[in-house]
Amino acid sequence: MPIDMAVVPVAGRGTRLLPLTKSQPKEMLPVGRKPVVQYVVEELARCGLGRLLFVTGPGKTAIENHFDIDAELITNLRETGREELLQELAFEREDLEYFYTRQRRQLGLGHAVLCAKPVVGRDPFVVALGDSIIGLHAQSNVVRLMVEQFESNGADVVIAFENVPREEVVQYGIAKPRKQGEVFELDDLVEKPDVAEAPSTLAVAARYVFSPVVFDYLQRTPPGKGGEIQLTDAIRMMIRDGRKALGVRLPEGEQRFDIGNFESYFQAFVEFALADPDYGPALRTCLVDWLSSHEPKQAEKTRWS
Ligand code: G1P
């Protein structure tokens, strides 16, 4: 049976984005015209995934509302002669099934994935982190490529990787590949290593394909980095048990937009806005003018404290 289920963990509190995320989920932050998680769903749908299970937490109901059909809004747009706006809601009618479960304690990404077990059962599945967009406007096929590798190699886990600057390895799961290449076997995986100890600069890029055996490992994974049950540590145990773990590099021209911190969130927003077919060209002109008339200077601190 083809892989049909994607688990989308969205339970994290987004503390690196405070105060923005105090009362709204980071997955609902706008990047250009859409909230982050809509790009994630569109990417998964393009890659053939039909059933999406969100692992949610406190303060995340806006995500459920976003993917619901809003009959009142549709009627209102029709009655007020604004039919042209209905196409902005076309994503509501995608042929997808949504499921929601809740991570009731904040015990880490590994634990969030384990919360999916009763719904996923014994079938292979995809994990797509809800705070990361892959490819400009989510036009990425990497999950499809990963599923193909998973199936043709009899793997137990396939992970997407992106090369990052060495100083950024501290933010990600980092691969120790067995060989170089677009697709490679993993010798090890280390969660957020120090720069000096990183086995490479290949960082986990928020997409995974798993055999359900991962649940057995997650159940036995003790708290790791930050006291959390780390998905990376469960994968590490799988590798040490001789299970087949593959890495797939993001294809040329594709990158991960990480919406988990301000630096990459700001960059993502600007890049998506510049690529907007209607508003991008004017924004570009405006930015170029602004940049040429403003000397770079130390950003002023305008905080309340
Ligand atoms: C998680 C994973 C990490 C991965 C990252 C981005 O970290 O634990 O291995 O590289 O997502 O895909 P987080 O950003 O939740 O701290």
Side-chain angles (χ1 to χ4, degrees), residues 239-259:
I239 296 170
R240 288 187 178 158
D241 264 3
R243 301 216 170 247
K244 193 161 198 172
L246 298 179
V248 171
R249 289 174 73 128
L250 291 187
E252 192 72 22
E254 283 185 14
Q255 73 175 100
R256 169 248 313 272
F257 295 95
D258 181 354
I259 316 300

Side-chain angles (χ1 to χ4, degrees), residues 67-208:
F67 292 106
D68 243 5
I69 294 183
D70 189 338
E72 206 177 307
L73 177 59
I74 293 171
T75 309
N76 179 280
L77 291 177
R78 286 217 174 96
E79 284 177 359
T80 53
R82 290 177 292 167
E83 265 95 354
E84 75 283 0
L85 289 178
L86 289 173
Q87 72 186 36
E88 302 302 339
L89 301 178
F91 72 95
E92 287 181 354
R93 293 186 294 282
E94 283 263 8
D95 190 18
L96 298 171
E97 281 183 274
Y98 296 98
F99 304 86
Y100 299 91
T101 189
R102 199 142 155 152
Q103 184 185 21
R104 293 166 67 213
R105 286 180 295 158
Q106 295 279 308
L107 297 180
L109 178 60
H111 178 256
V113 173
L114 188 54
C115 291
K117 184 182 174 196
V119 184
V120 169
R122 297 308 295 174
D123 292 322
F125 62 103
V126 165
V127 169
L129 305 190
D131 66 355
S132 291
I133 303 168
I134 310 289
L136 192 61
H137 294 138
Q139 298 292 309
S140 173
N141 277 322
V142 75
V143 169
R144 201 183 282 276
L145 296 176
M146 291 164 69
V147 168
E148 278 165 22
Q149 289 296 335
F150 181 89
E151 286 168 347
S152 61
N153 286 295
D156 283 302
V157 50
V158 179
I159 306 171
F161 285 96
E162 179 189 49
N163 215 10
V164 296
R166 188 157 269 280
E167 64 275 14
E168 287 179 21
V169 295
V170 295
Q171 299 175 34
Y172 299 110
I174 300 295
K176 181 176 181 200
R178 230 161 248 172
K179 280 195 195 136
Q180 298 293 333
E182 296 309 298
V183 179
F184 51 88
E185 265 193 61
L186 282 171
D187 211 19
D188 198 2
L189 189 66
V190 191
E191 183 66 11
K192 304 189 176 93
D194 292 340
V195 169
E197 272 143 37
S200 76
T201 51
L202 288 169
V204 174
R207 301 292 181 266
Y208 310 77

